[in-house]
Amino acid sequence: MTRLSLNGKPIEIEASGDKPLLWVLREELALLGTKYGCGQALCGACTVLIDGQSVRSCLVPVSAVEGREVTTIELEPGIDPVLDAVRDVWAEESVPQCGYCQSGQIMAICGEIKSNGPFSDSTDVSQRVSNICRCGTYQRIRKCALMAQERCQEK
Amino acid sequence: MSHLDLDDEVNPEPLAKMGRRDWLKASVAAGVITLLEVRFQNPLRADVSLQQVPVDLWITLNQDNDVEILFAKAEMGQGIWTTLPMILIDEIGLDPNKVRVRQAPSTPTYTNPAMGLSMTAGSTSVRTQFPILRDAGAKSRLRILRAAARSLNKNLAELDIQNGLIIDSTTNSTHTLSAFLREIDQEPLPMEAPVKSPSSWTRLGKAFPELDAREKSNGLAVFGADIRIKDMVYASIIQNPSYGSILLNADELQSEAKQSHFVQIKNGFAIVGESFWFADQEARRLAPLARYELHPQAADFDNEKLATLHREALDSLLQNPQDPNLEARRRGDPEQVYAQSENKIEAQYSVPFLAHLCMETPTATARTVASPSQPNSLESIEVWAPTQSALFVQRTLAEQFGVPSERVTVHMTRLGGGFGRKAMTDYVVQAVAIAKSIGKPVQLIWSREEDIRHDHYRPSFAARMRAGFSQDGTQIAILGDSSGPSIARSTGRPPQGIDPASIEAFLDDPYDFEHKVIRHHEIFTPVPLGFWRSVGASQNTFFTECFLDEIGFAVGQDPVAFRMSLLPDGRLKNVLRKLDEITEWSLRQGKPLFQNRAWGLALYQGFGSFVGQVVEVSVLQNRVRVHKVWCVVDCGLALNPAGIEAQVQGSIAYGLTAALGHETLFREGRCTQSNFGDMYALSPRDMPEVHLTLIESADDPGGMGEPATPPIAPAVANALFRLTGRRLRTLPLRLPAD
């Protein structure tokens, strides 16, 4: 039994402790926004936040998040201004193409801003957020990560 | 939001307001009518009626004035779920914020093999459907206005539709469309209607957001692996390693599997379970225990064998100069002119097999019903899958499982990347086979390893290019020989002669070569092949644009000037002129500001569009860095400029993966790589800044899903020559360590 806080609510997971968080989210909790991309923490499609830090959930056994705060792309609006800003800018600027990698991109960006401070420029975004996108949205990602950040800073 | 509360099915994106079972039976009584049905194809034969052609798109209007567009074409990130509806929205006069675009819940029956198969591929969606949708939109608009005019007892000229409302110009009043639901339903669709001129467009031609950007940004967009069906189980698959290989010890694996559910299928085995992860863990545990008998052709095939096959093919072309079966195109007398030329150059190029690496691995969910009367037969099949052609899937399943196609239902989910990979049906057939075997609905997900090792690869090609020219650079004869396997043959359609896909864009027009010959020798490999973004152009533009650069250098001409001399007046030449203008190439003699950087150039025309690129590169610690790309595009009428920009950036990124690091390697007939750790995909820090210039044009819209891919690799190779003095003629581009 693993007890944790998920998107602000306490929950208990009965799944085997070594089941990766990614699959617990997708199979036990019907939270389907976090995606499988490689299963080896190489691509970032499975990125969530654990205690505010971005983590690739495909290799994190659920037992490791005992007592922790897990945040996914499905977090309700109005709770995290950084996440809200990124999601809003993403929709307004049409950052996603196929969209499959974008939950991971968005969570990785939020985690970076929270844990390691704001991005200094677009090169900094590319250096710190290495999630793979095969549609090639990198240019819009770095432009819009800065836009979202600015929007947060203005508030 | 709970995903578990619709019928016995789950789809986190709410389906059209009509229930799944009634969506095709719209009526006033049901509170919703069909405004329009659009068929993108005509029947291929005169004896087939239009009514038998599957409908690709519906627009419905309900009593609450909600408009929904239901789409049976594949959305894989190229934005057609926005661009195509926007053509209708603008033509009719709807408000895009109030229009919902939905995946059609199921694909209607494919009944007639004379139909052709609607496939989302070849950068065709916008350019073929633009006139159809414009016309359909105009007719819809006229239908609505006639109905309203009748009901209000007004002249047509007094009414207009703007922003989803009917405006009465005499009284300045507005009405919802749904106020006339009954009248619209009774009003026949006009035979003809005038289309709006581009100057009347309110949204087309301007930047507008993708209609589904929001759900792709909040985790609610539904992909294939997000489908949940009642009683569904999951499967992970381990496919037999190579062409023709046979699994020898299935029984042994079955008993080793003990607790888990082992299913053998035609080309591999699957483990089925309540959790994909558990099934996959078990599959991985068993995989090293599997023993195979390899097909001799596969056992023999590796990277060295590939090189040998290319070498022998190219040599055979040289040794058989008269063989007409090896010749594709000819103009003038190239052999004679070449033989008599004062100067000659020759260069050999090669490119590897390429995987697609969609972020979403192949997946399919299948539910089968066993035949009550015939053992080991199916009564019906239902699948949910990301696919570039639902009709092709439907036909394939009907054939493979002996089920009439009206009992094969295909629900197309949005694709997490296609690029040509998801035009193949292998993963869907597997899901059905597993479901049939276990008698339960199953969701098959390929691991990334399976995806990498069982792709349908862009074939490996090699080329020997020769040119002869006089001292002053005129009188050029160009001879292009190439070798490679045939995609058509690999996909079950052996070509008559040379596979056109093998030689498309190879020294093609519009370059004005007075004397040229293209020859091609097919090679045979056990590697499964398929369509990769831009197909034949992905390798042939590399060969063409690099070799042109070499000729230009040999005759002492600047790359821009040389191409200007070879191009007739036309759209590609205008693209080149524009490229020169924005980069100031000629003024700067093709040199960037920074001394440790260089520029390279390449052009491409195809898919109805015209593209030119200049790249700025440097080399740091033996790694190629692409800093900037200036891209000039003439794609005719730019309906969705923001979408075009996204496709240009994406196409360049896709091509750069092949230019900078990606290759697929083989041993014993199988791919030896496994995941992103040993297979290169462009990383964010390798992405340059792309500066796009769209040439304003009133020409018909060209496709933009692919044309910006072919020129990027040659542009980078050409830049590296100007930087280092070395010609790199193989992809991926690797600088020799020294």
Side-chain angles (χ1 to χ4, degrees), chain B residues 253-425:
Chain B
L253 293 175
Q254 171 120 46
S255 49
E256 178 61 36
K258 296 193 234 334
Q259 313 285 0
S260 56
H261 193 152
F262 175 97
V263 177
Q264 188 180 11
I265 58 168
K266 196 158 78 171
N267 75 330
F269 68 88
I271 300 294
V272 177
E274 302 287 325
S275 151
F276 172 76
W277 183 70
F278 280 119
D280 190 55
Q281 291 295 109
E282 180 71 346
R284 285 165 195 275
R285 188 180 74 81
L286 294 172
L289 305 173
R291 286 186 293 111
Y292 301 98
E293 178 186 304
L294 299 185
H295 191 283
Q297 261 182 47
D300 182 42
F301 184 80
D302 57 18
N303 306 317
E304 285 69 42
K305 175 77 175 181
L306 175 66
T308 301
L309 289 171
H310 279 307
R311 191 176 57 246
E312 288 174 350
L314 290 178
D315 286 346
S316 178
L317 283 166
L318 273 186
Q319 288 147 17
N320 298 286
Q322 313 288 353
D323 186 341
N325 295 318
L326 298 173
E327 185 171 300
R329 291 189 280 275
R330 167 179 291 277
R331 189 184 288 148
D333 191 356
E335 290 84 358
Q336 178 84 296
V337 175
Y338 177 76
Q340 291 169 353
S341 298
E342 291 164 325
N343 300 289
K344 298 183 172 71
I345 60 167
E346 175 173 327
Q348 288 195 38
Y349 297 83
S350 69
V351 296
F353 290 97
L354 299 177
H356 292 81
L357 294 176
C358 305
M359 280 313 292
E360 172 198 50
T361 61
T363 181
T365 306
R367 176 160 66 191
T368 57
V369 175
S371 167
S373 48
Q374 278 177 291
N376 204 34
S377 276
L378 291 178
E379 171 76 11
S380 66
I381 299 173
E382 193 174 7
V383 294
W384 291 254
T387 173
Q388 289 175 235
S389 175
L391 290 179
F392 185 43
V393 167
Q394 190 181 48
R395 183 176 82 174
T396 304
L397 294 178
E399 280 171 6
Q400 297 253 344
F401 294 95
V403 176
S405 49
E406 47 274 18
R407 284 193 253 122
V408 178
T409 306
V410 179
H411 307 275
M412 195 196 261
T413 56
R414 63 167 73 245
L415 284 69
F419 313 118
R421 173 60 179 96
K422 291 175 177 145
M424 305 300 170
T425 58

Side-chain angles (χ1 to χ4, degrees), chain A residues 20 23 26-27 30 32 35-38 40 42 87-88 94 97-98 100 127 134-135 138-140 142, chain B residues 3 210 214 216 225-226 228 275-277 356-357 448 642 645-647 650 657 675 682 687-690:
Chain A
W23 297 105
R26 293 186 59 80
E27 295 178 344
L32 301 171
K35 307 297 187 196
Y36 167 76
C38 71
Q40 294 290 309
L42 294 165
R87 288 191 294 211
D88 286 346
S94 300
Q97 287 185 30
C98 85
Y100 193 82
Q127 302 281 14
R134 295 295 293 146
C135 296
Y138 298 139
Q139 192 167 335
R140 276 198 191 164
R142 51 193 186 217
Chain B
H3 297 275
E210 299 291 300
R214 175 63 64 179
K216 289 188 280 200
D226 303 329
R228 296 285 180 265
S275 151
F276 172 76
W277 183 70
H356 292 81
L357 294 176
R448 178 59 65 187
E645 181 190 73
Q647 288 311 297
T657 291
N675 210 311
L682 192 78
M687 178 73 193
E689 277 295 298
V690 175

Side-chain angles (χ1 to χ4, degrees), chain B residues 134-244:
Chain B
R134 236 177 145 186
D135 179 65
K139 287 174 179 161
S140 258
R141 176 189 164 81
L142 184 56
R143 178 191 188 196
I144 294 167
L145 288 175
R146 280 182 178 165
R150 258 198 305 124
S151 177
L152 296 169
N153 210 16
K154 300 272 176 168
N155 285 324
L156 257 186
E158 292 162 341
L159 300 176
D160 192 13
I161 307 177
Q162 287 170 24
N163 259 339
L165 294 172
I166 293 173
I167 317 268
D168 181 345
S169 60
T170 56
T171 61
N172 260 341
S173 55
T174 64
H175 307 268
T176 60
L177 304 189
S178 53
F180 308 103
L181 201 72
R182 180 170 297 279
E183 288 80 359
I184 296 170
D185 191 50
Q186 288 166 353
E187 183 74 37
L189 194 67
M191 297 291 282
E192 277 180 6
V195 298
K196 288 182 180 171
S197 79
S199 55
S200 320
W201 289 343
T202 49
R203 283 177 186 84
L204 284 179
K206 304 178 174 63
F208 48 79
E210 299 291 300
L211 296 175
D212 56 358
R214 175 63 64 179
E215 57 246 47
K216 289 188 280 200
S217 307
N218 63 11
L220 291 184
V222 177
F223 294 86
D226 303 329
I227 294 296
R228 296 285 180 265
I229 306 297
K230 202 158 81 101
D231 296 332
M232 183 180 98
V233 289
Y234 297 91
S236 180
I237 192 169
I238 303 288
Q239 296 170 82
N240 296 344
S242 53
Y243 167 80

Side-chain angles (χ1 to χ4, degrees), chain A:
Chain A
M1 181 76 71
T2 314
R3 292 179 182 84
L4 59 139
S5 168
L6 176 63
N7 292 332
K9 300 189 172 72
I11 62 161
E12 289 179 358
I13 307 286
E14 278 187 32
S16 145
D18 59 349
K19 184 166 184 176
L21 177 59
L22 168 67
W23 297 105
V24 170
L25 292 170
R26 293 186 59 80
E27 295 178 344
E28 327 281 332
L29 299 170
L31 289 171
L32 301 171
T34 308
K35 307 297 187 196
Y36 167 76
C38 71
Q40 294 290 309
L42 294 165
C43 75
C46 64
T47 307
V48 298
L49 301 186
I50 300 179
D51 290 343
Q53 285 211 305
S54 60
V55 178
R56 294 178 177 180
S57 63
C58 65
L59 287 184
V60 174
V62 71
S63 57
V65 298
E66 169 77 36
R68 300 208 182 265
E69 175 131 358
V70 172
T71 313
T72 71
I73 189 70
E74 289 94 348
L75 181 71
E76 296 285 327
I79 299 175
D80 183 337
V82 176
L83 181 55
D84 287 348
V86 177
R87 288 191 294 211
D88 286 346
V89 172
W90 251 233
E92 291 159 23
E93 297 293 315
S94 300
V95 176
Q97 287 185 30
C98 85
Y100 193 82
C101 76
Q102 297 295 340
S103 300
Q105 301 280 2
I106 291 168
M107 299 315 286
I109 286 163
C110 291
E112 268 300 310
I113 294 174
K114 286 174 199 304
S115 309
N116 298 319
F119 300 109
S120 49
D121 56 26
S122 64
T123 308
D124 196 32
V125 180
S126 291
Q127 302 281 14
R128 289 164 56 187
V129 178
S130 60
N131 292 33
I132 297 176
C133 168
R134 295 295 293 146
C135 296
T137 64
Y138 298 139
Q139 192 167 335
R140 276 198 191 164
I141 285 174
R142 51 193 186 217
K143 176 180 112 177
C144 292
L146 296 175
M147 275 175 72
Q149 183 172 277
E150 223 181 278
R151 193 179 285 198
C152 280
Q153 285 162 350
E154 277 159 16
K155 292 213 175 110

Side-chain angles (χ1 to χ4, degrees), chain B residues 444-607:
Chain B
L444 169 67
I445 303 173
W446 284 23
S447 64
R448 178 59 65 187
E449 289 82 0
E450 287 295 302
D451 170 60
I452 281 178
R453 292 169 179 162
H454 298 281
D455 202 336
H456 293 250
Y457 305 89
R458 198 285 311 266
S460 166
F461 283 87
R464 171 183 273 127
M465 317 284 283
R466 287 174 290 162
F469 45 92
S470 51
Q471 196 59 48
D472 62 0
T474 58
Q475 274 290 86
I476 299 174
I478 186 162
L479 298 87
D481 289 348
S482 79
S483 60
S486 160
I487 297 172
R489 189 179 305 280
S490 177
T491 53
R493 299 162 300 128
Q496 313 264 34
I498 298 173
D499 186 341
S502 296
I503 50 157
E504 63 186 353
F506 190 30
L507 296 173
D508 261 352
D509 289 337
Y511 287 115
D512 253 347
F513 301 118
E514 214 183 307
H515 304 280
K516 83 172 182 193
V517 62
I518 311 299
R519 303 172 77 235
H520 178 80
H521 195 300
E522 187 178 342
I523 68 172
F524 300 87
T525 80
V527 177
L529 305 174
F531 307 100
W532 192 92
R533 195 173 200 166
S534 78
V535 195
S538 70
Q539 78 275 358
N540 290 326
T541 305
F542 176 65
F543 301 155
T544 301
E545 288 293 313
C546 285
F547 194 56
L548 279 188
D549 221 58
E550 295 204 47
I551 302 173
F553 183 75
V555 304
Q557 283 194 41
D558 165 85
V560 168
F562 184 58
R563 282 173 182 73
M564 290 291 281
S565 74
L566 292 174
L567 287 172
D569 285 339
R571 292 168 77 180
L572 193 63
K573 194 166 191 171
N574 289 341
V575 163
L576 179 57
R577 259 190 211 107
K578 191 70 178 173
L579 198 52
D580 192 9
E581 184 195 307
I582 57 165
T583 56
E584 296 183 330
W585 177 295
S586 298
L587 280 173
R588 298 166 185 272
Q589 290 155 358
K591 293 194 176 75
L593 275 176
F594 298 108
Q595 289 208 314
N596 64 344
R597 297 186 183 186
W599 282 356
L601 161 73
L603 304 176
Y604 171 72
Q605 78 174 39
F607 304 102

